[in-house]
Amino acid sequence: MRKYLPESPPSFQIRTYRRKGALFHNRHPFQSMKNNTYKFWTALLFTALLASTGAYASEADIHIPNLTQVRFDGLGGMSGLGLMYFGIVMCAIGAIFGWVQYKQTKALPVHESMRNVSNIIWETCKTYLFQQGKFLVILWVLIACCIVYYFAGLQGAGLGNVAVILACSVLGILGSYGVAWFGIRINTVSNSRTSFSALKGNPLATLGIPLRSGMSVGLLLVCVELFFMICILVFLPRALVGPCFIGFAIGESLGASALRICGGIFTKIADIGSDLMKIVFKLPEDDPKNPGVIADCTGDNAGDSVGPTADGFETYGVTGVALVSFIALALAANQGVCATLIIWLFTMRALMIVTSLVSYFLNQAISRAKYGHQKDFDFEAPLTHLVWITSAVSILITFAASYLLLAQQTGLDPNLWWGLSIIISCGTVAGALIPEFTKIFVSTTSRHVKEVTNCSKHGGASLNILSGFVAGNFSAFWMGLVILFLMFVAYYFSQFPGVVSIMPEKSKFAAPIFAFGLVAFGFLGMGPVTIAVDSYGPVTDNAQSVYELSQIESIKTVKEDIKRDFGFDADFENGKYQLEKGDGAGNTFKATAKPVLIGTAVVGATTMVFGIIILLENLFGGVIPKLSLVQPQVILGLLMGGAVVYWFTGASCQAVVTGAYRAVVYIKEHIKLDASKASVADSKEVVRICTVYAQKGMWNIFIVIFCLALALSFFNPYFFIGYLIAIAFFGLFQAIFMANAGGAWDNAKKIVEVDLRQKGTDLHAATVVGDTVGDPFKDTSSVSLNPVIKFTTLFGLLATEIAVTMKSQGLKTGIGAVFFIVALAFVYRSFYAMRIPEENTAGANATPATPDETHREQVALAK
């Protein structure tokens, strides 16, 4: 392939594509069930097709400059390696904080009945994680074959070097999987402690437990990822750093994709199946008789805790790899500047740990002074304060650190430091502004959410749903303007002489690419806090469930036992009220984290689209005029991308609909209303149903996404660029609309339950219906668009290079047609193979299906 490329090939694009190629393979075997061996061979076929193109030539080299030669005058001549060691120390401090918080949380008092329930939830979650781990092992074997073939077979690397690259890919998987495991463990410890703490009547102490567990997860996420990357950068031979970054990114993608996408489908199948029972049988929230409640609790962790944690781990890592790659490639001619900026970037990443810790303890002190003696207050306020404090502290440290590192550095424009600081701060401000705009549409105090509740009073479920659509649409408009404005500011400052000066003369036009990447980096600058307030939600949701499932109020002499063993008088009514309020705040802040991650994906995707344009420009020249909107290929690509976004949201919702139908049918047939609680066997069966349909839905979706990325790039690269732009921007607005509409429906139900206290009424039933509509909107389709946007764009980079280096247009068209037909086949399957079976309605004399027939039908559909 190299003979077709210019002297400075766009290696960054190839590397990033390979990472997402791995992400695709993650989706394939992950869906494989015991009887689906053909899927394994399908994945191998795709791998072989890619390998046979020769696309894995030696384009993945990233030449990292010598970091030992860099000295920072603003820090008294400190070396670059010294700053890297400082980063490792910060990682150790953050990891220790996370572990201490876990031990302190576990040591909190809890009633035995609540502890037993949280242990059951943990055991179920552990089974789910083991199942995911088995699929990840299969995926790693496939990816390992690709890595060995590429580096040993095509590049001729020694077996020792290949073994190191493979080890880095394992580290990526273990990092993503391990952080997710830690998150689900501390959350299942926190849920029972939060539930028990609510009985004391100290709402601030109750709020602090899930927030503490969230901070420990967020900090551990950043520390583990940064530690691995610094070790790769500093301790491995420079020739191996680039390939090892590739292996590490592949591993991150494997772990994150499986846990995020499948978890999103799983949790909403369980949630809907459980919620509908409240209407059918007039059951209270989280009634122990309902076999779907344990699956719902598992889903809260699998979808709302593990998914965002793994996704954040991958996004944080990939953004770092992309920026390091860009700097290394764009500034290859000036090794001193290149090394300085790489060290600056890693130092800023290490300082995120400091800013998060400082902000957390500062917010804790302020909250204790303001709310410590109050018996009731707005639970959203301390979380909001934490976000804004972190944003302010991050911006201050960004400017201070950039000044010390860059302002006095020889060979750099003295104005560079503040230009880069402003660009990063655009992303940091977005990390605080976007949650504020989200709360306008999803908070329990929002006028939009109150309007949804009011519509439910006067028009039932119909007006409830329509009003939620209004909130979602309005939110997409306003948040789109926020992201547009901040990206424009970043672009504006990227044109300042101080920033442009670091770019070689022939690459001056690439300054906005660097700026957009830094905006995405700034988005993640508040990563620990974003994950903390997001993880707050599943803990408070589980805490409510733990309270009901423990049946603590029905235990004889429980008040006397609590007084004797724990030294306080339990207030059950106020405790339930505080748990419901906490759940409402959790719903709000779960919603605020979604647009942040979605926005990061779109900003990063925009950078990647620029990368494809640079690739084509380097290969052919004169590309820019062909990207005019008057070109039919571009317009057709825009239409294709929009169509795929809407298919995707339908396919992901279909997986939830069919799985929820199966769960509802099973629960209705097996629920025992005269029993005190559901049997363990029935609860496990609901969990199994959720798992099966989550895997089936994921399989269909990612075959389509993968095949379309190959097919459309083979048809026409300009058509494909239009497709990628549409995927990013249609996906952005569709995701924001769905996430915030779902959040509005969810908290409208919470208003009825908490503020109006009208559980079990027709008004409550109407809001439950709206909530079940919003469940797949906010926790499946919208959040799944985030990895889909990243996957499609990054995977498309390599797909484009494969296509443009093939000389025969007829061959390219033929290969593209094959993949396009495969994609259409799985589009068809995503609905017609996932439909709810029709009942026999031939007449009154029609014979109903026997239980055996129903069982055979379920087994057939599961296969």
Side-chain angles (χ1 to χ4, degrees):
M1 171 188 276
R2 186 175 290 279
K3 65 182 180 179
Y4 297 122
L5 299 176
E7 291 183 4
S8 300
S11 310
F12 164 52
Q13 288 87 341
I14 299 304
R15 155 188 277 104
T16 313
Y17 169 88
R18 281 182 48 75
R19 187 187 74 77
K20 281 302 181 182
L23 175 60
F24 162 72
H25 292 300
N26 178 19
R27 290 357 188 306
H28 289 203
F30 181 77
Q31 308 307 322
S32 304
M33 301 300 293
K34 192 177 295 184
N35 298 322
N36 287 346
T37 308
Y38 76 93
K39 296 180 181 179
F40 176 85
W41 295 108
T42 304
L44 282 180
L45 172 62
F46 284 132
T47 304
L49 284 172
L50 285 179
S52 66
T53 64
Y56 298 126
S58 56
E59 306 302 330
D61 301 325
I62 292 179
H63 301 290
I64 301 296
N66 188 350
L67 305 182
T68 61
Q69 304 302 316
V70 180
R71 301 280 172 178
F72 289 92
D73 300 332
L75 295 175
M78 178 180 284
S79 69
L81 282 182
L83 285 173
M84 294 298 95
Y85 296 141
F86 163 79
I88 292 176
V89 172
M90 289 298 99
C91 292
I93 291 173
I96 291 171
F97 172 84
W99 180 252
V100 169
Q101 294 302 307
Y102 168 72
K103 298 297 289 185
Q104 289 179 347
T105 302
K106 192 173 182 181
L108 290 173
V110 60
H111 193 269
E112 189 65 23
S113 63
M114 292 179 170
R115 191 204 315 271
N116 291 338
V117 174
S118 66
N119 285 338
I120 292 172
I121 296 171
W122 161 240
E123 291 299 325
T124 311
C125 291
K126 193 162 61 173
T127 301
Y128 169 80
L129 285 172
F130 277 130
Q131 180 68 18
Q132 306 296 68
K134 293 175 183 177
F135 284 107
L136 287 173
V137 169
I138 298 172
L139 292 172
W140 182 82
V141 171
L142 292 176
I143 297 307
C145 293
C146 298
I147 291 174
V148 171
Y149 174 79
Y150 170 59
F151 287 104
L154 294 180
Q155 288 198 335
L159 292 181
N161 288 349
V162 174
V164 173
I165 298 169
L166 289 173
C168 288
S169 70
V170 173
L171 284 180
I173 294 175
L174 291 179
S176 184
Y177 187 72
V179 169
W181 188 285
F182 176 80
I184 213 168
R185 185 63 189 116
I186 193 170
N187 283 357
T188 51
V189 168
S190 298
N191 56 17
S192 56
R193 276 69 178 178
T194 302
S195 187
F196 187 69
S197 174
L199 302 181
K200 296 180 181 180
N202 186 343
L204 182 62
T206 302
L207 180 146
I209 296 172
L211 186 57
R212 183 189 304 127
S213 67
M215 275 300 298
S216 65
V217 175
L219 278 170
L220 191 71
L221 177 155
V222 172
C223 292
V224 170
E225 197 281 335
L226 182 59
F227 174 78
F228 286 156
M229 288 195 66
I230 290 178
C231 289
I232 291 172
L233 183 66
V234 172
F235 298 118
L236 292 181
R238 280 193 292 149
L240 270 179
V241 171
C244 286
F245 274 153
I246 294 175
F248 183 67
I250 288 172
E252 288 180 304
S253 296
L254 288 173
S257 56
L259 296 170
R260 175 56 136 170
I261 308 302
C262 200
I265 298 175
F266 179 104
T267 184
K268 291 305 107 179
I269 293 174
D271 199 354
I272 293 172
S274 176
D275 278 355
L276 288 179
M277 295 304 100
K278 293 187 289 190
I279 299 175
V280 174
F281 295 110
K282 302 295 184 183
L283 296 177
E285 187 85 20
D286 300 316
D287 192 297
K289 293 189 288 292
N290 186 348
V293 172
I294 291 295
D296 187 18
C297 293
T298 303
D300 288 337
N301 290 284
D304 295 337
S305 175
V306 171
T309 301
D311 190 15
F313 185 87
E314 180 213 17
T315 303
Y316 183 80
V318 169
T319 302
V321 170
L323 283 170
V324 169
S325 303
F326 178 87
I327 293 169
L329 292 166
L331 305 179
N334 192 335
Q335 294 287 288
V337 174
C338 179
T340 300
L341 289 179
I342 289 176
I343 294 171
W344 166 76
L345 187 68
F346 273 86
T347 304
M348 299 301 294
R349 288 159 67 88
L351 288 174
M352 292 178 188
I353 301 168
V354 178
T355 59
S356 298
L357 281 171
V358 169
S359 302
Y360 173 72
F361 287 117
L362 183 59
N363 180 68
Q364 193 176 56
I366 293 172
S367 298
R368 191 178 293 117
K370 191 171 183 180
Y371 306 112
H373 302 291
Q374 295 186 19
K375 293 298 182 182
D376 197 15
F377 59 87
D378 181 6
F379 276 24
E380 294 182 12
L383 302 176
T384 301
H385 297 160
L386 176 59
V387 171
W388 279 103
I389 290 171
T390 307
S391 179
V393 172
S394 296
I395 290 173
L396 289 174
I397 289 184
T398 295
F399 275 85
S402 296
Y403 176 79
L404 292 174
L405 292 171
L406 303 178
Q408 303 176 39
Q409 200 68 6
T410 304
L412 294 182
D413 189 300
N415 295 316
L416 174 65
W417 72 273
W418 63 262
L420 295 182
S421 296
I422 290 175
I423 292 170
I424 287 181
S425 297
C426 287
T428 308
V429 169
L433 268 183
I434 288 177
E436 288 303 309
F437 274 82
T438 303
K439 285 192 288 185
I440 292 172
F441 302 97
V442 305
S443 171
T444 51
T445 59
S446 159
R447 287 181 292 176
H448 282 278
V449 176
K450 290 179 179 177
E451 172 70 2
V452 176
T453 305
N454 192 46
C455 287
S456 306
K457 291 179 183 177
H458 301 291
S462 296
L463 293 189
N464 170 286
I465 292 169
L466 290 173
S467 185
F469 272 92
V470 171
N473 282 305
F474 275 31
S475 71
F477 171 80
W478 287 111
M479 277 197 271
L481 289 187
V482 171
I483 294 173
L484 167 67
F485 173 74
L486 293 171
M487 287 185 69
F488 171 77
V489 172
Y491 162 74
Y492 178 78
F493 282 97
S494 74
Q495 301 305 295
F496 271 44
V499 178
V500 175
S501 66
I502 64 175
M503 297 294 170
E505 189 61 36
K506 65 178 182 179
S507 301
K508 298 292 186 185
F509 67 93
I513 304 173
F514 187 37
F516 290 154
L518 289 177
V519 170
F521 179 77
F523 262 105
L524 298 170
M526 296 168 56
V529 169
T530 300
I531 296 298
V533 297
D534 187 56
S535 294
Y536 174 91
V539 175
T540 54
D541 197 350
N542 262 198
Q544 257 195 308
S545 303
V546 167
Y547 183 93
E548 297 294 341
L549 291 169
S550 69
Q551 298 179 296
I552 189 170
E553 290 184 70
S554 65
I555 300 174
K556 294 181 179 180
T557 70
V558 66
K559 285 193 173 185
E560 293 80 0
D561 294 342
I562 291 175
K563 179 67 174 177
R564 183 189 67 244
D565 297 335
F566 301 100
F568 68 90
D569 294 313
D571 186 343
F572 294 112
E573 287 304 315
N574 182 63
K576 287 187 286 188
Y577 172 73
Q578 297 297 340
L579 289 174
E580 288 172 340
K581 280 194 65 176
D583 189 27
N587 290 339
T588 299
F589 278 88
K590 280 190 296 183
T592 62
K594 293 179 177 71
V596 173
L597 291 175
I598 294 163
T600 305
V602 172
V603 174
T606 303
T607 306
M608 295 299 100
V609 171
F610 271 103
I612 291 180
I613 295 171
I614 293 173
L615 165 66
L616 296 173
E617 185 70 32
N618 286 340
L619 288 172
F620 303 111
V623 167
I624 303 300
K626 296 181 181 178
L627 291 173
S628 168
L629 283 178
V630 301
Q631 296 293 326
Q633 296 95 330
V634 176
I635 294 175
L636 294 174
L638 293 172
L639 291 172
M640 183 69 194
V644 168
V645 166
Y646 281 89
W647 158 78
F648 169 79
T649 54
S652 53
C653 283
Q654 181 66 47
V656 173
V657 167
T658 308
Y661 161 77
R662 288 299 181 191
V664 166
V665 168
Y666 181 85
I667 294 171
K668 286 171 67 177
E669 291 178 351
H670 292 82
I671 192 169
K672 297 177 178 63
L673 297 176
D674 56 347
S676 61
K677 59 182 179 180
S679 70
V680 174
D682 286 344
S683 296
K684 285 184 176 180
E685 178 60 19
V686 177
V687 171
R688 188 198 68 81
I689 291 171
C690 296
T691 303
V692 167
Y693 284 93
Q695 293 173 348
K696 286 171 65 65
M698 216 173 112
W699 170 255
N700 290 326
I701 287 168
F702 282 95
I703 287 286
V704 176
I705 296 298
F706 174 79
C707 290
L708 284 179
L710 284 174
L712 302 184
S713 60
F714 275 54
F715 288 154
N716 184 280
Y718 304 105
F719 174 79
F720 188 56
I721 288 173
Y723 171 76
L724 292 180
I725 292 172
I727 285 282
F729 293 113
F730 275 82
L732 169 69
F733 290 105
Q734 178 79 334
I736 292 175
F737 154 69
M738 298 185 81
N740 291 337
W745 283 315
D746 197 355
N747 267 347
K749 182 190 73 171
K750 194 56 61 180
I751 287 176
V752 172
E753 293 174 344
V754 179
D755 298 341
L756 303 181
R757 303 198 179 196
Q758 292 192 29
K759 287 185 177 182
T761 64
D762 290 340
L763 173 61
H764 186 227
T767 58
V768 169
V769 171
D771 182 38
T772 56
V773 174
D775 278 337
F777 272 45
K778 64 185 175 64
D779 290 325
T780 305
S781 295
S782 61
V783 293
S784 296
L785 276 166
N786 175 26
V788 165
I789 290 169
K790 289 188 295 183
F791 168 74
T792 302
T793 308
L794 297 173
F795 187 75
L797 293 168
L798 184 55
T800 300
E801 184 158 353
I802 293 172
V804 298
T805 54
M806 294 178 66
K807 294 302 182 181
S808 171
Q809 183 58 46
L811 178 60
K812 287 193 289 187
T813 302
I815 294 175
V818 170
F819 280 109
F820 190 70
I821 291 170
V822 173
L824 291 181
F826 277 88
V827 167
Y828 183 91
R829 281 179 51 85
S830 67
F831 174 67
Y832 289 99
M834 295 289 291
R835 287 187 303 165
I836 295 173
E838 295 182 5
E839 295 183 1
N840 188 343
T841 57
N845 295 325
T847 304
T850 66
D852 287 342
E853 291 171 338
T854 302
H855 176 71
R856 285 196 298 271
E857 183 185 76
Q858 290 176 342
V859 171
L861 186 57
K863 291 181 179 180

